[in-house]
Amino acid sequence: MSSQTKITVIGAGSAVFGPPTIVGILKNPDLRGVELFLHDINAQGLEKIHALAEKLNTNFSAEARIRSSTNREEALDGADFVILSIAVDREECWKLDREIALKYGINHYAENGGPGSFAHTARNLSVIMPILRDMEKYCPNAWLLNFTNPVPKICTAAARYTKIKTIGICHQIQFGYFILAGLFAEELGLKIPKDFNFRWNDQSIALFRLMSKKARERFFIRAFGLNHFTWMLSVTERETGKDLYPEIRERVPKIRKTLPSFEPLTMEVFEVFGLLPVPGDCHLCEYLPYTHNVHRKTWERYDIQMYDFEWAKRGRERMWEEIERAVQGEIPLSRFEELETERGEFIIAGILRNLNAYEEAVNIANSGYIPNLPEGAIVEVPALLGSEGPVGLGGGKLPEPIAELCRRQILITELMVRAIVEEDRKLALEALALDPMIDDLEVARKILEEYLTTFAPYLAFKLH
C-alpha cells in the first residue's frame, strides 16, 4: 500500500466516533501503510485521539502515517477518502428539537424524521456544506463516507449541490438481526427476559449485541428502502438458503402474545404491511405517524424508548478516562482492539483494492435498485464495492403501500434540503406541511418559526 493513500477523518476528536473508526482502519490488512489524517475543531480531544492512534498503530503493526490538525484545508488536501461524522451540540439541540415539537402535541424521536429533522438538518448542513466546498477544492476526486445524521438528507445535499462522490453509512441493519433473534430465540439458544424491550442502557445494549451476533451467524437479510426505514425483502438461512418468511408470518402473532413488550410497533407494522421493518421501534417511529400523538398517548402505548442522553454522557466520560489511561500505559490496549466499528474501513478497502466486496447496507443514489422509488433519490440497499465505488444490488419493487411511505419521505427530504441550501422558507413550510406527524398548517408555521428562531445562532442559512 502506497503512503499516498490518504484517509481523512473529520470529527476524529470524539470519544464515541474516533476510537472505533481508527481501530477499524488500523486493523484492516488491506489498509496497511495508509496516511491517516485526523481532524477536529476540538484540539484537546484531537490530541488525545492522536496519541491513542499512535499506540494502536504500533499495536496492530499497521505501518500507517498518523497526522492530525485542526486546520481543515491541511486535513483535506490530497485526501483519497474522507470519513465524516460531526455534530453541533448534538444532545442539547436534540432535546430542544423534541421539546419544541412537544409544545404542539407531537411526541417524536426528532433525529432523522419528523419535524425535528428539519432543525437537525439545517444545523448540520450549516457546517457540512463548507466542508463539501473545501473537498471540491482540495480533494475533488475523494470519496466521502458520511456517517452524520440525518444521513439521507446530508447525502441528498451532497448529491444535489456538489460533485463529491458520496456514500452514506449506518449500522442500523444490526437491528434487523436483533428482531430476528427475538423471533427465533429458542433456535439460537437465547433466553430473553419476559418483559424485555430494547432500552438505552449497558445491560440492554449487551443483550442486543449478543442477539444480533447470533442471528447474523445464522440468517441473511436483504433489506431495501431508506436509512432508518428499510424493509426485509428476503430473510434466508445462511447455510441452506431457506426462505424464512413463512415461519416469520407464523411467529409474529405468537411473540405478540408471549412477549408483547418486544418491538411492538415493528410487529404491528409487519402485520399490517406484510414485510418486517429493519430499524426497530425507536427509529421506525421517525417516519410513521402512529406514535406521535400526545393526546392519544400513542408514544406510551408502544413504549417507545427515547435516546438516553445521560447514559450517553456517562459512556463518553468513561471512554475518555480509558483513552487517557491507555495512552499513559495504565491499562492494556485490548479494551480498544475489539471495538465495534461502523464498517467504513471495509468500504474503503473494497474500493481501494477492487475487492467487489459485499456490503449489506449503503446509502447511494437510486439507479433502478428499487424500481418504484424515484431515480436518483438516496436509498439504502446492499451493494458490491469495487474500484468504481458501490454498485447497488436490486431487490425488486417494494410493496406499493411501503413504497408510498418511502416516496413521501423522499419528497420531504428533497424539499428540506432545497429549503436550507437555497434559503427558501416556502419550501421548508411545504416540507413540514407534508410531514405525516403534522395535521395543522398553523402548527407547521409555528414549528418552523420556532426552530428558525431557537437555532438562529447555529444556522449559516437565512430562510427568506
Side-chain angles (χ1 to χ4, degrees), residues 380-416:
E380 187 167 288
V381 296
L384 295 179
L385 294 153
S387 58
E388 298 301 312
V391 176
L393 301 177
K397 293 182 177 181
L398 289 168
E400 270 303 305
I402 292 172
E404 185 62 25
L405 292 173
C406 291
R407 286 192 289 261
R408 170 71 67 97
Q409 293 301 325
I410 288 169
L411 179 55
I412 290 171
T413 289
E414 295 278 352
L415 289 171
M416 282 190 181

Coordinates of all heavy atoms in Angstrom, one line a residue, residues 380-416:
E380 N -31.2 3.2 0.7 CA -30.3 2.3 1.4 C -30.5 0.9 0.8 O -31.6 0.3 0.9 CB -30.5 2.3 2.9 CG -29.5 1.5 3.7 CD -29.5 1.8 5.1 OE1 -29.1 2.9 5.5 OE2 -30.0 0.9 5.9
V381 N -29.4 0.3 0.3 CA -29.5 -1.0 -0.4 C -28.2 -1.8 -0.2 O -27.2 -1.2 0.2 CB -29.7 -0.8 -1.9 CG1 -31.0 -0.2 -2.3 CG2 -28.5 0.0 -2.6
P382 N -28.2 -3.1 -0.4 CA -27.0 -3.8 -0.4 C -26.2 -3.4 -1.7 O -26.8 -3.0 -2.7 CB -27.4 -5.3 -0.4 CG -28.8 -5.3 -0.5 CD -29.4 -3.9 -0.6
A383 N -24.8 -3.6 -1.6 CA -24.0 -3.2 -2.7 C -22.7 -4.0 -2.8 O -22.3 -4.6 -1.8 CB -23.7 -1.7 -2.7
L384 N -22.1 -4.1 -4.0 CA -20.8 -4.6 -4.2 C -19.8 -3.4 -4.3 O -20.2 -2.4 -4.9 CB -20.7 -5.5 -5.4 CG -21.5 -6.7 -5.4 CD1 -21.3 -7.5 -6.7 CD2 -21.1 -7.7 -4.3
L385 N -18.7 -3.5 -3.6 CA -17.7 -2.4 -3.6 C -16.5 -2.8 -4.3 O -15.7 -3.7 -4.0 CB -17.4 -2.1 -2.1 CG -18.6 -1.6 -1.3 CD1 -18.5 -1.9 0.1 CD2 -18.7 -0.1 -1.6
G386 N -16.3 -2.0 -5.5 CA -15.1 -2.2 -6.3 C -14.5 -0.9 -6.6 O -14.9 0.2 -6.0
S387 N -13.5 -0.8 -7.5 CA -12.8 0.4 -7.8 C -13.7 1.5 -8.3 O -13.3 2.7 -8.2 CB -11.7 0.1 -8.8 OG -12.2 -0.4 -10.0
E388 N -14.8 1.2 -8.9 CA -15.8 2.2 -9.4 C -16.7 2.7 -8.3 O -17.5 3.6 -8.5 CB -16.6 1.7 -10.5 CG -15.8 1.3 -11.7 CD -15.0 2.5 -12.3 OE1 -15.5 3.5 -12.5 OE2 -13.8 2.3 -12.5
G389 N -16.5 2.2 -7.1 CA -17.4 2.6 -6.0 C -18.5 1.6 -5.8 O -18.4 0.5 -6.3
P390 N -19.5 1.9 -5.0 CA -20.6 0.9 -4.7 C -21.5 0.8 -5.9 O -21.9 1.7 -6.5 CB -21.3 1.6 -3.5 CG -21.0 3.0 -3.6 CD -19.7 3.2 -4.3
V391 N -21.8 -0.5 -6.2 CA -22.8 -0.8 -7.2 C -23.9 -1.5 -6.5 O -23.8 -2.6 -5.9 CB -22.2 -1.8 -8.3 CG1 -23.3 -2.2 -9.3 CG2 -21.1 -1.1 -9.0
G392 N -25.1 -0.8 -6.4 CA -26.2 -1.3 -5.7 C -26.8 -2.6 -6.3 O -26.7 -2.8 -7.5
L393 N -27.3 -3.5 -5.4 CA -27.9 -4.7 -5.9 C -29.4 -4.5 -5.8 O -30.0 -4.1 -4.8 CB -27.5 -5.9 -5.0 CG -26.0 -6.1 -4.9 CD1 -25.7 -7.3 -4.0 CD2 -25.5 -6.5 -6.3
G394 N -30.1 -4.8 -6.9 CA -31.5 -4.6 -7.0 C -32.2 -5.7 -6.2 O -31.8 -6.9 -6.2
G395 N -33.3 -5.4 -5.6 CA -34.1 -6.4 -4.9 C -35.5 -6.5 -5.4 O -36.4 -7.2 -4.8
G396 N -35.8 -5.8 -6.5 CA -37.2 -5.7 -6.9 C -38.0 -4.6 -6.3 O -37.5 -3.9 -5.4
K397 N -39.3 -4.5 -6.7 CA -40.1 -3.4 -6.1 C -40.5 -3.7 -4.7 O -40.6 -4.8 -4.2 CB -41.4 -3.3 -6.9 CG -41.2 -2.8 -8.4 CD -42.5 -2.7 -9.1 CE -42.3 -2.2 -10.5 NZ -43.7 -2.0 -11.2
L398 N -40.6 -2.6 -3.9 CA -41.2 -2.7 -2.6 C -42.7 -2.8 -2.8 O -43.2 -2.3 -3.8 CB -40.9 -1.4 -1.8 CG -39.5 -1.2 -1.3 CD1 -39.3 0.2 -0.8 CD2 -39.1 -2.2 -0.2
P399 N -43.4 -3.5 -1.9 CA -44.9 -3.4 -2.0 C -45.3 -2.0 -2.1 O -44.8 -1.1 -1.4 CB -45.3 -4.1 -0.7 CG -44.1 -5.0 -0.3 CD -42.9 -4.2 -0.7
E400 N -46.4 -1.7 -2.9 CA -46.8 -0.3 -3.1 C -47.1 0.5 -1.9 O -46.7 1.7 -1.8 CB -47.9 -0.3 -4.1 CG -47.4 -0.2 -5.6 CD -46.5 1.0 -5.8 OE1 -46.9 2.1 -5.6 OE2 -45.4 0.8 -6.3
P401 N -47.8 -0.1 -0.9 CA -48.0 0.8 0.3 C -46.8 1.2 1.0 O -46.6 2.3 1.5 CB -48.9 -0.2 1.2 CG -49.5 -1.1 0.3 CD -48.5 -1.4 -0.8
I402 N -45.8 0.3 1.1 CA -44.5 0.7 1.7 C -43.7 1.7 0.8 O -43.1 2.6 1.3 CB -43.6 -0.6 1.9 CG1 -44.3 -1.5 3.0 CG2 -42.2 -0.3 2.3 CD1 -43.7 -2.8 3.2
A403 N -43.8 1.4 -0.5 CA -43.1 2.4 -1.4 C -43.7 3.8 -1.3 O -43.0 4.8 -1.3 CB -43.3 1.9 -2.9
E404 N -45.0 3.8 -1.1 CA -45.7 5.1 -0.9 C -45.2 5.8 0.4 O -45.0 7.0 0.4 CB -47.2 5.0 -0.9 CG -48.0 6.3 -0.9 CD -47.7 7.2 -2.1 OE1 -47.4 6.6 -3.1 OE2 -47.9 8.4 -2.0
L405 N -45.1 5.1 1.4 CA -44.5 5.6 2.7 C -43.1 6.2 2.4 O -42.8 7.3 2.9 CB -44.4 4.6 3.7 CG -45.8 4.1 4.3 CD1 -45.5 2.9 5.2 CD2 -46.6 5.2 5.0
C406 N -42.3 5.5 1.6 CA -41.0 5.9 1.3 C -41.0 7.1 0.4 O -40.2 8.1 0.6 CB -40.2 4.8 0.7 SG -39.8 3.4 1.8
R407 N -41.8 7.1 -0.6 CA -41.9 8.3 -1.5 C -42.2 9.6 -0.8 O -41.6 10.6 -1.1 CB -42.9 8.0 -2.7 CG -42.4 6.9 -3.7 CD -43.3 6.9 -4.9 NE -44.6 6.3 -4.6 CZ -44.9 5.1 -4.9 NH1 -44.0 4.2 -5.4 NH2 -46.1 4.6 -4.7
R408 N -43.1 9.5 0.1 CA -43.4 10.7 0.9 C -42.2 11.2 1.6 O -41.9 12.4 1.6 CB -44.5 10.4 1.9 CG -44.8 11.5 3.0 CD -45.5 12.7 2.4 NE -46.8 12.4 1.9 CZ -47.9 12.7 2.6 NH1 -47.8 13.3 3.8 NH2 -49.1 12.4 2.2
Q409 N -41.4 10.3 2.2 CA -40.2 10.8 2.9 C -39.1 11.3 2.0 O -38.4 12.2 2.3 CB -39.7 9.6 3.8 CG -40.6 9.3 4.9 CD -40.9 10.4 5.9 OE1 -40.0 11.2 6.1 NE2 -42.1 10.5 6.4
I410 N -39.0 10.7 0.8 CA -38.1 11.2 -0.2 C -38.4 12.6 -0.6 O -37.5 13.5 -0.7 CB -38.1 10.3 -1.4 CG1 -37.4 8.9 -1.1 CG2 -37.3 10.9 -2.6 CD1 -37.6 7.8 -2.1
L411 N -39.7 12.9 -0.8 CA -40.1 14.2 -1.2 C -39.8 15.2 -0.1 O -39.3 16.3 -0.3 CB -41.6 14.3 -1.6 CG -42.1 15.6 -2.0 CD1 -41.3 16.3 -3.1 CD2 -43.6 15.5 -2.4
I412 N -40.1 14.8 1.2 CA -39.9 15.7 2.3 C -38.4 16.0 2.4 O -38.0 17.1 2.7 CB -40.4 15.1 3.6 CG1 -41.9 15.0 3.6 CG2 -39.8 15.8 4.8 CD1 -42.5 14.2 4.8
T413 N -37.6 15.0 2.2 CA -36.1 15.2 2.2 C -35.7 16.2 1.2 O -34.9 17.1 1.5 CB -35.4 13.8 2.0 OG1 -35.5 13.0 3.2 CG2 -33.9 14.0 1.8
E414 N -36.1 16.0 0.0 CA -35.7 16.9 -1.1 C -36.1 18.3 -0.8 O -35.4 19.3 -1.0 CB -36.4 16.4 -2.4 CG -35.9 15.1 -2.9 CD -34.6 15.1 -3.7 OE1 -34.2 16.3 -4.0 OE2 -34.1 14.1 -4.0
L415 N -37.4 18.5 -0.3 CA -37.8 19.9 0.0 C -37.0 20.5 1.1 O -36.7 21.7 1.1 CB -39.3 19.8 0.4 CG -40.3 19.5 -0.8 CD1 -41.7 19.3 -0.3 CD2 -40.3 20.7 -1.8
M416 N -36.8 19.7 2.2 CA -36.0 20.2 3.3 C -34.6 20.7 2.9 O -34.1 21.8 3.2 CB -35.9 19.2 4.4 CG -37.1 19.1 5.3 SD -36.8 18.1 6.7 CE -38.4 18.1 7.5

